[in-house]
Each structure stands twice: as structure tokens, then as C-alpha cells.
Amino acid sequence: MASKGSPKLCPTSSMPNSSSKCKPPPPPPPPPTTTTTTTTSSRTKAHHDRPVEENLEVKIRKIAFSDVVVKRKNRAYWVRKWRLWDLTISIGVMVHVHVMCFLYAYSTFSLSRFLVGLCIVIITGLFGISVSYHRNLAHRAFNLPKWLEYLFAYCGILSFQGHPILWVSMHRLHHQFTDEDRDPHSPTEGFWFSHMNWIFDIKYILQKRGGVNNVRDLEKQFFYRFLQKTNYIHPFLPAIPLLWWGGFPMLVWGLYVRTALAFHLTFLVNSACHIWGYQAWNTGDLSKNNWLVALLTFGEGWHNNHHAFEFSARHGHEWWQFDPGWYVIKLLELVGLATHVKVPSETQKQRMVALNKKART
């Protein structure tokens, strides 16, 4: 006989007169499930100084008004270890430039200062980035005499977008791994990542690059090695004549406002032209033709055309596709300064059309 304090024992199922009150308790309910997908990051510790076996939430969503799917791992931007390069670029340049524009652009505006800033944007953006860094150095779409090649490249370094070796290396990597994991600035990691946040984490970008050296042609030349070593000096040199000519108000528009404008125009090619627009060619990536970006970036917005024929000096294939970068190159060719200018032939275009039709079937 069980004592008063002992637990009550239920009869076994073989006993016919067992009480219903002694039925065994139901099994515990299964643990609740969630729709959150988790993955284990193998590079988390190396990249963010956190434990390797950490579950990272993966968010899958689409960028607004597009079919671009973002698969982004939540990375701790605010608690990770920031490095000197990241702090220099993000705080020393990006934040400083935008704060100065916010504080002083309105109060110092005048038509003459605006036109000065616009002229410098054309010099650094059209001749420096579009014609030199992109079409001449990155893709070798045409040849220039060395004195003119170096002059245009120097215009590019004045844009605060880095020296030619770094810029060209990142761009060639982008074309080699377009919209894949090793693409330095794909919108598959989010709009803002592709637009500008990618430059705030240099170690992450260098991990994507790996040990590949894709700019040996530039590293062989003393001029580009010199710009690499003195990169932080050259972009600030225009401040001297600007201050002498028009004082602080001219500096605001000739340095800060035009730099912020040039930043975002270039960034739009990396972000918007892989999100919004149309594809004239089936390139197997997210590149788009975007007429508005093309209008603002000297023809760089015909980005799907460019990815279809990346060797081409001409991005606007149709007569109505505004492409000032091509107009400059064509003029240089007419006067004998640009040689070996590459454009897609009709045969190459027809071959691409055939591939497009085959892909649709």
C-alpha cells in the first residue's frame, strides 16, 4: 500500500478495470517552428571578430520597383572592428564632404560658383572617370599617347574616387564576377551596399578580391605607382587655387559640392543601373540601361550595352542614346590622338541577338 505522500501509480493497460483518471499524460508538444532561415558563417570571426559558429539571419526581399532579390546576411556594422582605412574613407571623406555641403552649400550659392563646380565635375567625371579610368584604363577600349593618358588619369584622381590601380582593379573584378558573391558592389547585398556602403569595409572587399592581381599592366608604370603612393595628396590640391580665387564660398562649391555630386553619379551606375531600367541584351546579370543615369553620367548609364560589349569605347549604341564619353573619344580619334578604338561590329551584335533568342526559347 502506497504511503500518503508517495506518487499515485497508474494501472497498466492490461488491467481491465483501470481508471480513466490514470491515463498516461499526452506527449509534450513539439517546439514551435519559425520561418527564419539560419546559416552558419565560416568567415564571421575573421571578418567581424565574432564566434565562428554563429547563426546569421538571412533576409530575402526585393528592392522596390524592381525584380532584384536581396539575400543579405545581417552583419554587425556598428559593433564590428573598424579599421583605419574604413574610418578614413567613411568619416574623413564621405561624412565630412556631405556635412560641409549640408552646412554651407545653400548660404554660399551663386551662379558663378555653381558653374565652377559643374566644370570641375565635367573635368573629373567625364575626362577622368568615364573616358580615362573606365573606358581607357579598365577596358583598354582605345589607346592614347602616354602624355594624354596620364593627363586624363590625373583628372580622375582629383575626383576623390581613388587612384587608378585601385579603381581599375575593383572594376575589373566587378566584370569578372558580375552580381555574384565576389562582385564588390552587387545590389544582391542591398541597394545601399551597392551604392556606397561597400567602400566602408575594405577588408570584406579585399576578401572578395582574393589574391588575384588584375592590374599588372598599370603597376608596371611608374606614373600609376606614384599616384598610388601619393593618393591622399592630389585630390586636395585644387583647394589652393579655389581659396585664392573665391575664398571659402568657392571652396564649398568647387571642392565639397562637386565631390559629393560626382560621388553619387558614379555610385548610381553601380546601384541603379543594376536595379532599374531595361535589358537590351541578355548578359546573364542584372545590368540595365537607364536613360536618366546615362544623362547624368556622360553615357555610363547605358550599362547593359556596356556589359554586353565591355570592350567597346561606345556605350550608347543607338543615335539617340546620349553618350558624351563616346563623343570625346570619337573627336580624339578624328584628330589622330585616339587609336585602336574598339566598337562592336554588326556581326558581333547579330551573334548576341541570336544568343538572346536562343535564351528565350
Side-chain angles (χ1 to χ4, degrees):
M1 182 174 179
S3 64
K4 185 176 181 180
S6 61
K8 184 182 292 185
L9 300 177
C10 292
T12 62
S13 58
S14 60
M15 299 176 65
N17 296 326
S18 60
S19 170
S20 60
K21 294 182 179 180
C22 290
K23 290 182 179 179
T33 59
T34 62
T35 57
T36 301
T37 304
T38 59
T39 59
T40 301
S41 173
S42 60
R43 62 175 177 83
T44 305
K45 184 174 182 179
H47 182 49
H48 297 295
D49 302 313
R50 294 185 292 174
V52 175
E53 297 298 328
E54 179 181 356
N55 289 331
L56 298 178
E57 182 182 356
V58 177
K59 295 181 179 179
I60 300 178
R61 59 183 177 85
K62 283 188 177 181
I63 296 178
F65 308 108
S66 77
D67 57 355
V68 177
V69 176
V70 177
K71 298 180 180 179
R72 181 183 59 192
K73 292 181 179 179
N74 284 340
R75 294 195 297 268
Y77 283 103
W78 305 113
V79 298
R80 71 175 174 86
K81 181 179 179 181
W82 285 75
R83 293 162 181 83
L84 180 61
W85 175 279
D86 302 329
L87 293 173
T88 302
I89 296 298
S90 61
I91 296 178
V93 177
M94 294 294 294
V95 173
H96 178 65
V97 164
H98 287 81
V99 167
M100 292 295 288
C101 292
F102 178 78
L103 292 177
Y104 300 110
Y106 179 78
S107 61
T108 59
F109 173 81
S110 72
L111 181 59
S112 61
R113 294 167 192 146
F114 170 80
L115 292 176
V116 168
L118 183 61
C119 287
I120 300 178
V121 167
I122 293 173
I123 292 171
T124 60
L126 173 58
F127 294 97
I129 299 300
S130 179
V131 173
S132 175
Y133 275 26
H134 190 195
R135 308 190 198 200
N136 181 224
L137 299 183
H139 293 289
R140 294 299 181 186
F142 60 97
N143 294 338
L144 290 173
K146 281 300 176 183
W147 66 269
L148 188 56
E149 175 187 319
Y150 292 163
L151 176 61
F152 283 173
Y154 193 79
C155 293
I157 204 171
L158 298 179
S159 67
F160 282 90
Q161 295 185 31
H163 54 84
I165 290 177
L166 176 65
W167 199 102
V168 170
S169 177
M170 290 297 105
H171 189 72
R172 289 177 178 175
L173 189 70
H174 165 65
H175 275 271
Q176 185 178 359
F177 302 103
T178 306
D179 296 316
E180 298 177 2
D181 289 342
R182 291 184 63 184
D183 188 339
H185 42 67
S186 173
T188 58
E189 296 191 58
F191 169 80
W192 285 109
F193 179 86
S194 64
H195 189 72
M196 60 187 292
N197 286 354
W198 66 279
I199 67 174
F200 296 161
D201 198 344
I202 189 63
K203 185 174 182 180
Y204 180 47
I205 300 304
L206 291 178
Q207 284 177 342
K208 290 190 175 196
R209 180 184 177 187
V212 177
N213 187 341
N214 56 4
V215 283
R216 296 187 187 277
D217 55 325
L218 300 185
E219 290 179 336
K220 292 178 181 178
Q221 303 180 55
F222 169 79
F223 179 74
Y224 295 120
R225 297 197 306 272
F226 169 74
L227 293 184
Q228 182 182 31
K229 293 179 180 179
T230 57
N231 174 47
Y232 295 104
I233 299 174
H234 304 285
F236 293 99
L237 293 181
I240 299 173
L242 289 170
L243 282 170
W244 175 81
W245 182 18
F248 179 74
M250 187 64 75
L251 181 69
V252 170
W253 281 88
L255 186 69
Y256 291 109
V257 175
R258 65 90 176 171
T259 298
L261 178 61
F263 274 159
H264 290 287
L265 292 180
T266 299
F267 296 162
L268 281 173
V269 179
N270 296 337
S271 57
C273 287
H274 281 258
I275 300 174
W276 301 293
Y278 69 93
Q279 286 197 324
W281 311 95
N282 182 14
T283 53
D285 53 38
L286 299 175
S287 61
K288 306 287 196 302
N289 285 339
N290 188 305
W291 67 268
L292 181 58
V293 177
L295 187 65
L296 297 173
T297 59
F298 313 108
E300 296 294 319
W302 306 116
H303 205 55
N304 180 242
N305 292 350
H306 171 55
H307 273 262
F309 307 99
E310 60 186 62
F311 62 85
S312 175
R314 182 177 184 177
H315 292 180
H317 294 172
E318 306 296 337
W319 66 267
W320 49 268
Q321 292 181 333
F322 184 64
D323 189 2
W326 165 245
Y327 307 152
V328 170
I329 296 168
K330 190 63 179 177
L331 179 61
L332 293 172
E333 184 183 32
L334 290 175
V335 299
L337 290 174
T339 58
H340 300 91
V341 179
K342 302 172 186 175
V343 293
S345 65
E346 288 302 318
T347 301
Q348 290 171 320
K349 289 182 179 180
Q350 290 302 320
R351 188 181 300 120
M352 182 65 77
V353 169
L355 290 175
N356 289 354
K357 291 180 179 178
K358 184 177 180 180
R360 294 191 185 102
T361 58

